[in-house]
Amino acid sequence: RDAIQGHYGDLRLAIQSCATSITGSSVANDERFPYVTVKDFEVLGEATRAQSGIEILTWGPFVPSETENVKQWIDYSLTHSQDWINISRSTALASQSDDVFRSQVYQDGSISPKLLTRQDLGVPNNAPTPDL
């Protein structure tokens, strides 16, 4: 039981620290959610992943379902996506200590313009919505 509590505490602190960093980035850059771009998210995400002991960490902002918000989010994400992908790839390649990974070639592509809905994720429509 002590090991489980210790792991849960580490997980909670790591995720809380990541959330605080993301919120701090939004304040420092005068950005409002979900339109927040976190510089070097790859570094923050990897540190959070390693500290918490989880296998993967993803960023999935909640976008209110009103048509205007969805269109704005799609425009925002598609405008920035290729830069995000290129920066992420460069960061990953620069952080590898093994020369085998440095020569890895990535497939060209971009993010999907489709937003996942609650139904896509299996979340009931009556589930609580995060405060914005």
Side-chain angles (χ1 to χ4, degrees), residues 13 19 21 23-24 29 35 47 49 51 70 83 90 92 109 119-120 126 132:
L13 288 172
S21 294
T23 301
N29 296 307
Y35 314 103
R49 191 202 63 73
Q51 182 183 18
V70 170
D83 286 340
S90 296
Q119 292 79 20
D120 293 335
N126 61 352
L132 297 177

mmCIF file of all heavy atoms in Angstrom, residues 13 19 21 23-24 29 35 47 49 51 70 83 90 92 109 119-120 126 132:
data_model
loop_
_atom_site.group_PDB
_atom_site.id
_atom_site.type_symbol
_atom_site.label_atom_id
_atom_site.label_comp_id
_atom_site.label_asym_id
_atom_site.label_seq_id
_atom_site.Cartn_x
_atom_site.Cartn_y
_atom_site.Cartn_z
ATOM 1 N N LEU A 13 1.771 14.907 -8.290
ATOM 2 C CA LEU A 13 2.650 16.076 -8.283
ATOM 3 C C LEU A 13 3.193 16.391 -9.679
ATOM 4 O O LEU A 13 3.295 17.557 -10.068
ATOM 5 C CB LEU A 13 3.800 15.876 -7.300
ATOM 6 C CG LEU A 13 3.430 15.948 -5.824
ATOM 7 C CD1 LEU A 13 4.621 15.550 -4.956
ATOM 8 C CD2 LEU A 13 2.938 17.339 -5.460
ATOM 9 N N ALA A 19 0.496 20.941 -15.328
ATOM 10 C CA ALA A 19 -0.669 21.819 -15.489
ATOM 11 C C ALA A 19 -0.334 23.254 -15.083
ATOM 12 O O ALA A 19 -0.742 24.207 -15.748
ATOM 13 C CB ALA A 19 -1.838 21.291 -14.666
ATOM 14 N N SER A 21 2.614 24.649 -15.219
ATOM 15 C CA SER A 21 3.481 25.195 -16.268
ATOM 16 C C SER A 21 2.674 25.632 -17.485
ATOM 17 O O SER A 21 2.944 26.697 -18.073
ATOM 18 C CB SER A 21 4.522 24.156 -16.693
ATOM 19 O OG SER A 21 5.403 23.884 -15.640
ATOM 20 N N THR A 23 -0.525 26.518 -17.514
ATOM 21 C CA THR A 23 -1.280 27.714 -17.116
ATOM 22 C C THR A 23 -0.362 28.927 -17.067
ATOM 23 O O THR A 23 -0.734 30.012 -17.530
ATOM 24 C CB THR A 23 -1.974 27.494 -15.760
ATOM 25 O OG1 THR A 23 -2.857 26.374 -15.874
ATOM 26 C CG2 THR A 23 -2.748 28.713 -15.314
ATOM 27 N N GLY A 24 0.837 28.760 -16.526
ATOM 28 C CA GLY A 24 1.804 29.858 -16.487
ATOM 29 C C GLY A 24 2.159 30.345 -17.870
ATOM 30 O O GLY A 24 2.294 31.555 -18.104
ATOM 31 N N ASN A 29 1.971 34.576 -21.879
ATOM 32 C CA ASN A 29 1.808 34.919 -23.290
ATOM 33 C C ASN A 29 0.448 35.537 -23.601
ATOM 34 O O ASN A 29 0.114 35.712 -24.771
ATOM 35 C CB ASN A 29 2.033 33.675 -24.152
ATOM 36 C CG ASN A 29 3.447 33.177 -24.035
ATOM 37 O OD1 ASN A 29 4.393 33.938 -24.239
ATOM 38 N ND2 ASN A 29 3.618 31.920 -23.683
ATOM 39 N N TYR A 35 -6.597 28.161 -26.832
ATOM 40 C CA TYR A 35 -5.611 28.701 -27.774
ATOM 41 C C TYR A 35 -4.282 29.000 -27.069
ATOM 42 O O TYR A 35 -3.808 30.129 -27.077
ATOM 43 C CB TYR A 35 -6.164 29.948 -28.458
ATOM 44 C CG TYR A 35 -7.573 29.748 -28.949
ATOM 45 C CD1 TYR A 35 -8.649 30.282 -28.258
ATOM 46 C CD2 TYR A 35 -7.816 28.978 -30.076
ATOM 47 C CE1 TYR A 35 -9.946 30.062 -28.697
ATOM 48 C CE2 TYR A 35 -9.113 28.757 -30.519
ATOM 49 C CZ TYR A 35 -10.163 29.298 -29.817
ATOM 50 O OH TYR A 35 -11.447 29.077 -30.241
ATOM 51 N N ALA A 47 9.632 15.440 -19.285
ATOM 52 C CA ALA A 47 9.976 15.535 -17.863
ATOM 53 C C ALA A 47 8.807 15.058 -16.997
ATOM 54 O O ALA A 47 9.007 14.327 -16.017
ATOM 55 C CB ALA A 47 10.350 16.974 -17.508
ATOM 56 N N ARG A 49 6.409 12.977 -17.939
ATOM 57 C CA ARG A 49 6.277 11.539 -18.161
ATOM 58 C C ARG A 49 7.292 10.757 -17.333
ATOM 59 O O ARG A 49 6.951 9.800 -16.642
ATOM 60 C CB ARG A 49 6.454 11.219 -19.651
ATOM 61 C CG ARG A 49 6.063 9.793 -20.014
ATOM 62 C CD ARG A 49 6.724 9.346 -21.293
ATOM 63 N NE ARG A 49 8.175 9.306 -21.196
ATOM 64 C CZ ARG A 49 8.858 8.389 -20.516
ATOM 65 N NH1 ARG A 49 8.257 7.445 -19.844
ATOM 66 N NH2 ARG A 49 10.178 8.425 -20.478
ATOM 67 N N GLN A 51 9.002 11.782 -14.627
ATOM 68 C CA GLN A 51 8.792 11.983 -13.188
ATOM 69 C C GLN A 51 7.608 11.176 -12.669
ATOM 70 O O GLN A 51 7.645 10.647 -11.570
ATOM 71 C CB GLN A 51 8.569 13.467 -12.900
ATOM 72 C CG GLN A 51 8.393 13.785 -11.429
ATOM 73 C CD GLN A 51 8.095 15.262 -11.195
ATOM 74 O OE1 GLN A 51 7.710 15.974 -12.105
ATOM 75 N NE2 GLN A 51 8.286 15.707 -9.971
ATOM 76 N N VAL A 70 -15.360 25.882 -32.490
ATOM 77 C CA VAL A 70 -14.783 24.771 -33.238
ATOM 78 C C VAL A 70 -14.045 25.301 -34.466
ATOM 79 O O VAL A 70 -12.908 24.910 -34.740
ATOM 80 C CB VAL A 70 -15.868 23.740 -33.623
ATOM 81 C CG1 VAL A 70 -15.319 22.716 -34.593
ATOM 82 C CG2 VAL A 70 -16.426 23.072 -32.376
ATOM 83 N N ASP A 83 4.448 23.859 -37.808
ATOM 84 C CA ASP A 83 5.537 24.338 -36.951
ATOM 85 C C ASP A 83 5.665 23.458 -35.713
ATOM 86 O O ASP A 83 6.771 23.107 -35.301
ATOM 87 C CB ASP A 83 5.311 25.789 -36.526
ATOM 88 C CG ASP A 83 5.561 26.771 -37.654
ATOM 89 O OD1 ASP A 83 6.253 26.413 -38.624
ATOM 90 O OD2 ASP A 83 5.056 27.904 -37.551
ATOM 91 N N SER A 90 12.507 18.085 -34.369
ATOM 92 C CA SER A 90 13.859 18.601 -34.126
ATOM 93 C C SER A 90 14.270 18.391 -32.677
ATOM 94 O O SER A 90 15.409 18.003 -32.397
ATOM 95 C CB SER A 90 13.930 20.090 -34.459
ATOM 96 O OG SER A 90 13.702 20.292 -35.820
ATOM 97 N N ALA A 92 13.116 16.106 -30.602
ATOM 98 C CA ALA A 92 13.307 14.670 -30.377
ATOM 99 C C ALA A 92 14.650 14.203 -30.926
ATOM 100 O O ALA A 92 15.389 13.474 -30.261
ATOM 101 C CB ALA A 92 12.171 13.877 -31.017
ATOM 102 N N GLY A 109 3.552 15.006 -43.147
ATOM 103 C CA GLY A 109 2.123 14.951 -42.876
ATOM 104 C C GLY A 109 1.727 16.091 -41.968
ATOM 105 O O GLY A 109 2.553 16.880 -41.526
ATOM 106 N N GLN A 119 -18.654 11.660 -28.198
ATOM 107 C CA GLN A 119 -19.082 10.348 -28.663
ATOM 108 C C GLN A 119 -17.899 9.548 -29.209
ATOM 109 O O GLN A 119 -17.803 8.352 -28.976
ATOM 110 C CB GLN A 119 -20.184 10.471 -29.738
ATOM 111 C CG GLN A 119 -21.503 10.995 -29.232
ATOM 112 C CD GLN A 119 -21.512 12.516 -29.051
ATOM 113 O OE1 GLN A 119 -20.688 13.238 -29.633
ATOM 114 N NE2 GLN A 119 -22.420 13.022 -28.233
ATOM 115 N N ASP A 120 -16.990 10.212 -29.934
ATOM 116 C CA ASP A 120 -15.799 9.538 -30.463
ATOM 117 C C ASP A 120 -14.971 8.935 -29.330
ATOM 118 O O ASP A 120 -14.340 7.891 -29.490
ATOM 119 C CB ASP A 120 -14.900 10.508 -31.239
ATOM 120 C CG ASP A 120 -15.533 11.027 -32.518
ATOM 121 O OD1 ASP A 120 -16.407 10.342 -33.083
ATOM 122 O OD2 ASP A 120 -15.139 12.125 -32.948
ATOM 123 N N ASN A 126 -23.873 13.607 -20.888
ATOM 124 C CA ASN A 126 -24.203 14.220 -19.599
ATOM 125 C C ASN A 126 -23.014 14.249 -18.633
ATOM 126 O O ASN A 126 -23.159 14.632 -17.485
ATOM 127 C CB ASN A 126 -25.389 13.504 -18.959
ATOM 128 C CG ASN A 126 -25.101 12.041 -18.674
ATOM 129 O OD1 ASN A 126 -24.065 11.511 -19.078
ATOM 130 N ND2 ASN A 126 -26.016 11.372 -18.011
ATOM 131 N N LEU A 132 -14.154 26.586 -17.977
ATOM 132 C CA LEU A 132 -13.236 27.336 -18.855
ATOM 133 C C LEU A 132 -12.919 28.661 -18.242
ATOM 134 O O LEU A 132 -13.657 29.277 -17.595
ATOM 135 C CB LEU A 132 -13.859 27.526 -20.242
ATOM 136 C CG LEU A 132 -14.124 26.235 -20.999
ATOM 137 C CD1 LEU A 132 -14.805 26.554 -22.320
ATOM 138 C CD2 LEU A 132 -12.851 25.481 -21.246
#
